[in-house]
Amino acid sequence: MLKNFICIVFMLLSTLDTNATMQIPDILIYKSDTVYIYQFPFEAYIQKDLTLYKKIFNHDEFTYSSSCWRGYMATWHLENDSLFLGELSNTEGTYKFNLDELFNSNQLRNGRVFANWYNGEINAQFGDLIISNLVNAKEDIYSQSLKCIIEEGIAKKITIDNISDCELAKALAQKDFYDEKYAFHSVELVPNDNSLIYTLNKYYNIKWYFTDSLAYYNCYDEEMMMLLEYQFGESFMDKAAEIADSLENTENWMSYASFESTIT
């Protein structure tokens, strides 16, 4: 009875927001690429079939961890525009459940289960890792993205895109912001004395970099400005300008801000 009660509790937990602890992803194999996904198509099935979930939970090899509330890891295959469950393992990946024992024979196709119950989107990134988020792997930035719309297990639309320079610049701005590496950019060959640059650095820890082109950094600065307005208030630039003006009106004021250049 107790085990059945715990089983029901886990079922309830699996429907809650699990953002507090980074969850282990499922795996999607598409063509020659192995993609990590944070949508879990199997949940839609076991939430309707408590008996099947009990088969998994009551298994001797069942394991559970705070990083995998659902209690399993699934490997999916997207082949011929169809989504298949190819493998189901415990949280630690040390045991693979026998799909023949979990599903009826009429549900199996060459040892895999056609996911005709699933309706929804699968969004994932893959390819070359460009920016790694050590705190939350879900926020890693890769060179390519996959978006797939699934209806009753059939992929109605599969879109593969390369990350744009603007998307990359915004992602880098987000990472720098959360690392408290605030920065703006402008085109300038020889830096001039500038009280606003000095003020931003002194009062807001915002660095100013000179570059030979803003084609990349326009998107970076736009994202950084939005984040800084959230951090310091929408009028922080006006306040910085007021301080800078007061410095300019101070007799014999002179301060040389430190500058760095970057090449796009």
Side-chain angles (χ1 to χ4, degrees):
M1 291 292 294
L2 178 60
K3 200 169 188 180
N4 289 338
F5 172 76
I6 296 175
C7 175
I8 294 173
V9 171
F10 280 152
M11 284 289 291
L12 292 173
L13 286 173
S14 68
T15 65
L16 299 176
D17 183 3
T18 57
N19 288 334
T21 301
M22 182 62 193
Q23 295 296 290
I24 296 172
D26 275 357
I27 292 174
L28 174 68
I29 297 176
Y30 176 64
K31 295 184 177 178
S32 59
D33 291 300
T34 298
V35 182
Y36 294 103
I37 62 174
Y38 292 89
Q39 298 84 36
F40 307 113
F42 195 48
E43 289 294 282
Y45 191 93
I46 61 176
Q47 287 176 12
K48 297 179 180 179
D49 190 345
L50 186 58
T51 301
L52 177 60
Y53 189 82
K54 287 180 178 179
K55 287 182 180 179
I56 297 173
F57 178 81
N58 289 327
H59 200 284
D60 292 339
E61 297 293 338
F62 178 89
T63 57
Y64 159 79
S65 74
S66 60
S67 63
C68 191
W69 285 99
R70 61 195 188 280
Y72 67 84
M73 295 186 296
T75 298
W76 304 89
H77 297 262
L78 193 55
E79 294 180 351
N80 300 322
D81 296 332
S82 297
L83 182 66
F84 294 92
L85 173 62
E87 185 178 294
L88 203 64
S89 66
N90 61 5
T91 299
E92 297 173 350
T94 57
Y95 177 81
K96 297 178 182 179
F97 295 99
N98 189 337
L99 298 183
D100 292 336
E101 297 176 355
L102 299 177
F103 295 90
N104 298 324
S105 58
N106 60 357
Q107 296 176 281
L108 296 169
R109 300 183 184 179
N110 298 321
R112 298 174 182 172
V113 182
F114 174 50
N116 61 349
W117 66 84
Y118 186 65
N119 295 280
E121 283 190 6
I122 293 178
N123 297 291
Q125 297 187 73
F126 67 104
D128 297 328
L129 178 61
I130 297 174
I131 297 176
S132 176
N133 188 317
L134 298 179
V135 177
N136 188 348
K138 190 176 180 180
E139 302 300 328
D140 289 346
I141 303 298
Y142 287 82
S143 60
Q144 293 180 290
S145 64
L146 177 148
K147 181 178 181 180
C148 183
I149 300 175
I150 305 290
E151 295 181 9
E152 296 182 344
I154 301 295
K156 297 298 183 179
K157 185 178 181 181
I158 301 175
T159 304
I160 304 292
D161 290 318
N162 294 321
I163 187 171
S164 68
D165 287 343
C166 188
E167 290 172 325
L168 178 58
K170 288 185 176 183
L172 182 59
Q174 293 170 15
K175 183 177 186 301
D176 285 349
F177 174 80
Y178 290 114
D179 289 341
E180 298 184 356
K181 297 178 180 178
Y182 312 141
F184 287 133
H185 303 79
S186 64
V187 176
E188 192 81 13
L189 295 179
V190 180
N192 298 317
D193 299 325
N194 191 310
S195 57
L196 179 60
I197 293 176
Y198 169 81
T199 300
L200 290 174
N201 187 17
K202 178 176 176 61
Y203 293 94
Y204 298 97
N205 196 32
I206 300 172
K207 307 298 182 184
W208 200 284
Y209 296 93
F210 292 110
T211 177
D212 60 352
S213 172
L214 287 178
Y216 175 86
Y217 288 106
N218 277 333
C219 292
Y220 179 103
D221 287 2
E222 178 184 350
E223 185 73 10
M224 182 62 75
M225 177 64 80
M226 182 185 69
L227 293 169
L228 289 173
E229 286 180 346
Y230 176 81
Q231 174 83 354
F232 299 120
E234 293 184 0
S235 62
F236 88 93
M237 283 295 290
D238 293 333
K239 294 178 180 178
E242 291 177 4
I243 296 173
D245 288 341
S246 67
L247 288 175
E248 292 285 357
N249 294 326
T250 300
E251 186 177 357
N252 297 324
W253 177 84
M254 180 64 69
S255 180
Y256 292 92
S258 59
F259 302 97
E260 295 185 35
S261 63
T262 181
I263 304 298
T264 57

